[in-house]
Amino acid sequence: MPSDNFAYMTATLIARLTATLRDVPDFPTPGILFKDITPVLADPALMREAISAMAAPFVHSGITHVVGVESRGFLFGMPLALHLNVPFAPARKPGKLPWKTERESYDLEYRSDVLEMHTDAVGAGARVVVVDDVLATGGTAAATCRLIERLGATVAGVSVLVELGFLDGRARLAGRTVHSVVTL
Ligand code: AMP
């Protein structure tokens, strides 16, 4: 496909996603403009293209696993894993996973939080893509990367549907490959 055709398709996808994402002001707390992805989930054709675009930089990267971050990261991570034909593993809030877990704490603006993964989810030799819906401050994705590395695996990159550029989440992920389909 000629590259200008590809650029046109990409621009069209970004425009459709931007028009479909729903802005919800003051949710969950005053001052937050929440990016609601449920209208994207409700459009199978758009969703299929979005997953394809999220996967694109990683198709020929020897990816062995996709890790999705609870909970909206599951909605994009699982189809992305199917797209790449590799296993999916969840990174979950504390106390949710039933077997042996490793955990990682991270600081948010006014509190700290914890993510857990099963100790056998990924290991030495694994090359992992971390998936979430929205990259905001980058704290969640950075903690997930650290957790995966503590389990002995390599993080090939982070893939999100939406990046809130003004929050500079990339700074927290310095040195890592960060891929977003839409930057707002
Ligand atoms: P952060 O750790 O700041 O990058 O936050 C990322 C997590 O919070 C992701 O799991 C997002 O789903 C969620 N999130 C943060 N800000 C927003 C927002 N404005 N709209 C939707 N989700 C958000």
Side-chain angles (χ1 to χ4, degrees), residues 32-36 69-70 72 106 108 132-141 164 167 172:
I32 301 291
L33 183 61
F34 193 84
K35 298 289 169 186
D36 177 16
V69 186
E70 182 161 359
R72 289 182 297 277
Y106 59 104
L108 298 167
D132 208 348
D133 64 334
V134 174
L135 181 71
T137 66
T140 308
L164 303 178
L167 291 175
R172 270 223 165 102

Side-chain angles (χ1 to χ4, degrees), residues 49-72:
E49 286 180 56
I51 293 299
S52 195
M54 286 175 75
F58 301 104
V59 168
H60 301 295
S61 306
I63 300 304
T64 64
H65 295 74
V66 170
V67 169
V69 186
E70 182 161 359
S71 58
R72 289 182 297 277

Side-chain angles (χ1 to χ4, degrees), residues 81-137:
L82 290 176
H83 186 93
L84 295 176
N85 198 28
V86 298
F88 172 84
R92 297 214 61 181
K93 300 278 166 61
K96 301 283 189 188
L97 288 169
W99 202 64
K100 292 177 196 165
T101 57
E102 183 69 71
R103 55 168 40 204
E104 179 73 31
S105 306
Y106 59 104
D107 290 328
L108 298 167
E109 210 170 347
Y110 299 112
R111 61 191 172 94
S112 68
D113 217 334
V114 173
L115 282 173
E116 293 182 344
M117 286 178 65
H118 275 155
T119 52
D120 63 353
V122 294
R127 275 180 62 76
V128 182
V129 180
V130 174
V131 173
D132 208 348
D133 64 334
V134 174
L135 181 71
T137 66

